Amino acid sequence: AQSVTQLGSHVSVSEGALVLLRCNYSSSVPPYLFWYVQYPNQGLQLLLKYTTGATLVKGINGFEAEFKKSETSFHLTKPSAHMSDAAEYFCAVSGRDTGRRALTFGSGTRLQVQP
Amino acid sequence: GAGVSQSPSNKVTEKGKDVELRCDPISGHTALYWYRQRLGQGLEFLIYFQGNSAPDKSGLPSDRFSAERTGESVSTLTIQRTQQEDSAVYLCASSLDGSYNEQFFGPGTRLTVL
């Protein structure tokens, strides 16, 4: 069975600082990997995804994530935080081997950006 | 174009009553998913439709939960004899097909069971 672990339910950074949100997955075969963002009172929006090819994936709003098979990780980063980045971020996987179409989500990390 | 829409946006009901939640996916999307998000938690998968069929119902928590999809479009999630633990935001998502395409999420229905 697949699982996703997001370390840190809350992360606080200063505006302009590096954002690092951690995601580790458990799967016998590297899955498809996603990061979604949920702004207050809004639906989930896809930030970026990894399916195949280059392991460094660039997404919207300056975010990027790197798939590291040896570490079973897919951490999300942004070089310089902006106040508008304050939101909840979810890492998710879907099965490359199981054919399971549904996403398995982590429990989420709430990002707070301090002025 | 129009995104995924869900109705109602909020639903308050009394324990023991039945509720129906509706999802209108993006036109042309053949795959449709229901998820549940309890307060402070991640999303839990409930059911997946490909067309009008549901090849994966593994996330439905009990037989009080059911869902159907008609016309390869609208889907309805029904919860019978609601319990307080059913309180959550119910999210619907659709994708172009079932092959790991991006899932587009609706705004959700917030269900409160008193």
Side-chain angles (χ1 to χ4, degrees):
Chain A
Q2 298 168 131
S3 66
V4 180
T5 302
Q6 290 184 240
L7 290 176
S9 58
H10 289 82
V11 170
S12 182
V13 301
S14 299
E15 191 173 18
L18 171 72
V19 175
L20 170 60
L21 305 182
R22 298 177 186 275
C23 173
N24 287 87
Y25 67 89
S26 173
S27 175
S28 57
V29 174
Y32 296 104
L33 295 153
F34 306 81
W35 276 99
Y36 280 84
V37 60
Q38 187 175 34
Y39 297 103
N41 300 315
Q42 295 186 28
L44 274 77
Q45 180 181 4
L46 182 70
L47 272 178
L48 49 78
K49 65 179 179 182
Y50 170 77
T51 56
T52 189
T55 56
L56 181 62
V57 181
K58 295 188 183 299
I60 61 172
N61 301 337
F63 284 93
E64 61 183 36
E66 186 171 11
F67 166 58
K68 292 187 176 180
K69 182 179 176 181
S70 61
E71 298 178 7
T72 61
S73 70
F74 192 56
H75 301 330
L76 182 71
T77 60
K78 181 174 181 178
S80 176
H82 191 272
M83 297 295 290
S84 61
D85 294 327
E88 186 138 26
Y89 292 80
F90 293 94
C91 182
V93 304
S94 66
R96 191 185 297 267
D97 59 338
T98 64
R100 186 164 192 253
R101 303 296 191 257
L103 295 170
T104 300
F105 284 85
S107 56
T109 297
R110 185 167 298 278
L111 176 66
Q112 191 174 22
V113 182
Q114 306 283 359
Chain B
V4 178
S5 61
Q6 293 185 244
S7 60
S9 55
N10 279 284
K11 176 72 176 179
V12 180
T13 190
E14 295 180 349
K15 179 181 172 181
K17 298 285 178 100
D18 298 351
V19 295
E20 283 190 354
L21 311 180
R22 176 187 170 108
C23 172
D24 284 85
I26 293 172
S27 178
H29 280 195
T30 63
L32 186 147
Y33 309 79
W34 283 98
Y35 295 88
R36 176 170 73 174
Q37 185 177 24
R38 290 174 166 165
L39 188 64
Q41 298 185 24
L43 280 75
E44 306 169 70
F45 165 72
L46 298 177
I47 187 169
Y48 154 61
F49 287 92
Q50 181 58 49
N52 294 332
S53 301
D56 190 351
K57 306 178 184 180
S58 62
L60 293 178
S62 75
D63 59 7
R64 296 187 295 105
F65 287 72
S66 63
E68 65 173 13
R69 188 179 184 195
T70 56
E72 299 197 355
S73 179
V74 173
S75 177
T76 303
L77 177 69
T78 301
I79 308 173
Q80 295 179 309
R81 305 180 302 282
T82 53
Q83 303 294 313
Q84 288 185 333
E85 62 263 28
D86 299 334
S87 296
V89 176
Y90 289 82
L91 290 160
C92 176
S94 70
S95 65
L96 190 58
D97 57 33
S99 63
Y100 310 110
N101 278 300
E102 174 185 354
Q103 293 184 24
F104 293 83
F105 283 80
T109 293
R110 182 176 298 278
L111 175 65
T112 303
V113 182
L114 301 177

